[in-house]
Amino acid sequence: GSEFQGWRLVERLKSGAFGDVFAAQHRFTKQLVAMKVVRPVPDHMASERAARFDLEVNLHRKVRHPNVLEFYGADMLPDGTAVLLTELLDGLDLARALRRLGPLSPGDALFVTVEVLRALAAMHVRAIHRDITPSNVFGCCSVRVDAEDNIERGRVRVLDFGLAKVDGRPGPTREGDTP
């Protein structure tokens, strides 16, 4: 893979209208991360994009919770490319899981709902997430056994703070954004 700011791009995980998400590995530490690369926009849209990116970075920095995507760092390059580094998750977003596996069982639906509500409770101290959709809910595949030999399901993580509302002020929005 190609290199980007000391990170080797291992695999493109997702592509969207605004950019791409890659699995990336640091060339020295070998740490694996998810790297969200948001493409530059025309000058007339740059201030809105910068505001969205700043909001997302600040929320990631402030909100630490087991059900919220872990944040490692961010940068804005001179050409306007925004880069966000987060934990690399193993699993599927809920939208893909539902397409692939069909409806959740009542027990799984309850588990996912409780995990998402825990994330939202932690986030709502700082912001209101205005884009809770199946594609922004990620189910991690890992299954662990705790110290008392209880089986723990994989964690559910909430992703993407780009449309959050902070301190009563809405984040930057566009027509068609989820309210």
Side-chain angles (χ1 to χ4, degrees):
S2 58
E3 286 240 347
F4 184 85
Q5 302 260 314
W7 295 89
R8 184 175 63 81
L9 303 181
V10 177
E11 175 185 3
R12 184 186 317 266
L13 302 174
K14 191 173 184 181
S15 287
F18 297 116
D20 302 296
V21 178
F22 297 91
Q25 184 175 41
H26 195 271
R27 88 178 111 161
F28 297 119
T29 67
K30 306 301 183 205
Q31 178 184 15
L32 286 170
V33 299
M35 177 185 287
K36 180 178 180 179
V37 179
V38 182
R39 292 184 280 280
V41 295
D43 288 344
H44 71 280
M45 297 172 63
S47 63
E48 177 187 338
R49 177 64 62 79
R52 281 174 173 265
F53 184 69
D54 286 347
L55 176 68
E56 187 169 3
V57 167
N58 284 324
L59 287 174
H60 271 295
R61 277 188 322 100
K62 293 175 183 175
V63 179
R64 300 278 187 200
H65 188 271
N67 297 112
V68 175
L69 185 69
E70 191 173 345
F71 172 75
Y72 298 141
D75 199 4
M76 180 73 76
L77 304 181
D79 72 352
T81 300
V83 180
L84 187 73
L85 299 175
T86 64
E87 69 181 309
L88 180 62
L89 300 174
D90 179 24
L92 290 173
D93 67 50
L94 186 56
R96 285 190 208 166
L98 291 171
R99 281 193 304 273
R100 187 177 294 172
L101 306 172
L104 298 176
S105 70
D108 287 341
L110 179 61
F111 174 76
V112 169
T113 300
V114 168
E115 294 277 285
V116 169
L117 290 174
R118 287 179 175 151
L120 293 176
M123 292 168 62
H124 283 187
V125 171
R126 304 245 182 234
I128 297 172
H129 194 301
R130 299 185 303 158
D131 194 25
I132 294 296
T133 62
S135 62
N136 283 336
V137 174
F138 198 95
C140 300
C141 289
S142 60
V143 176
R144 297 176 206 84
V145 178
D146 68 16
E148 287 83 41
D149 291 330
N150 296 311
I151 295 175
E152 298 177 352
R153 295 185 194 199
R155 280 273 180 212
V156 172
R157 300 280 202 293
V158 172
L159 317 175
D160 199 348
F161 295 173
L163 295 177
K165 181 177 179 179
V166 180
D167 300 327
R169 296 182 325 268
T173 59
R174 299 178 322 270
E175 190 172 318
D177 282 344
T178 304

